[in-house]
Amino acid sequence: MNNTVSCIINNIGFHILNQMKNNIHPDYHEITVKLTNGQTFKTRSTYGKEGTVISLDIDPFSHPVWTGEGQKLVDTGGQISKFKKRFKGFASNIK
C-alpha cells in the first residue's frame, strides 16, 4: 500500500496538506443497516466486516421522540406544580 498524499493546487503550485501513514487506519467498508420496520440501507463504516448487517432496536419508526407515542410529563421536584401555581390565572387576565 502506498502513502496517500492530499494536496491542493494554488496559483504557485502544489501545497501538501498531510501525508497519511500506512497500516494504521481501520478498514472502511460497506455494511447494511436494517430498521425496525424491515427497511434496509447501505452505508460505509469501520464496524464489523464487509457485508455485516446491523439490526436496529431503536430508530425513527420506533422511538417515542419521533413517533409521539407514550409521551407524558414527569413532574420531577414539583417543577410543573410550581409553574402552574406561579402563573395561575395569567391567561385569564389578558383581554
Side-chain angles (χ1 to χ4, degrees), residues 60 62-72:
S62 65
H63 196 280
V65 169
W66 289 294
T67 63
E69 297 174 6
Q71 294 181 355
K72 62 179 181 178

Side-chain angles (χ1 to χ4, degrees), residues 73-88:
L73 293 174
V74 178
D75 193 1
T76 56
Q79 294 298 314
I80 295 172
S81 301
K82 288 179 188 177
F83 179 85
K84 287 181 178 178
K85 183 178 177 183
R86 183 175 180 186
F87 292 102
K88 180 181 176 183

Side-chain angles (χ1 to χ4, degrees), residues 21-34:
K21 295 180 181 179
N22 289 328
N23 304 320
I24 65 165
H25 302 287
D27 180 35
Y28 191 62
H29 49 269
E30 192 172 89
I31 63 168
T32 303
V33 178
K34 183 177 180 183

Side-chain angles (χ1 to χ4, degrees), residues 36-82:
T36 56
N37 68 350
Q39 291 180 354
T40 60
F41 65 91
K42 294 192 182 287
T43 187
R44 295 186 54 79
S45 175
T46 58
Y47 177 81
K49 296 181 179 178
E50 181 80 27
T52 297
V53 177
I54 298 176
S55 296
L56 299 180
D57 294 331
I58 299 173
D59 64 15
F61 297 105
S62 65
H63 196 280
V65 169
W66 289 294
T67 63
E69 297 174 6
Q71 294 181 355
K72 62 179 181 178
L73 293 174
V74 178
D75 193 1
T76 56
Q79 294 298 314
I80 295 172
S81 301
K82 288 179 188 177

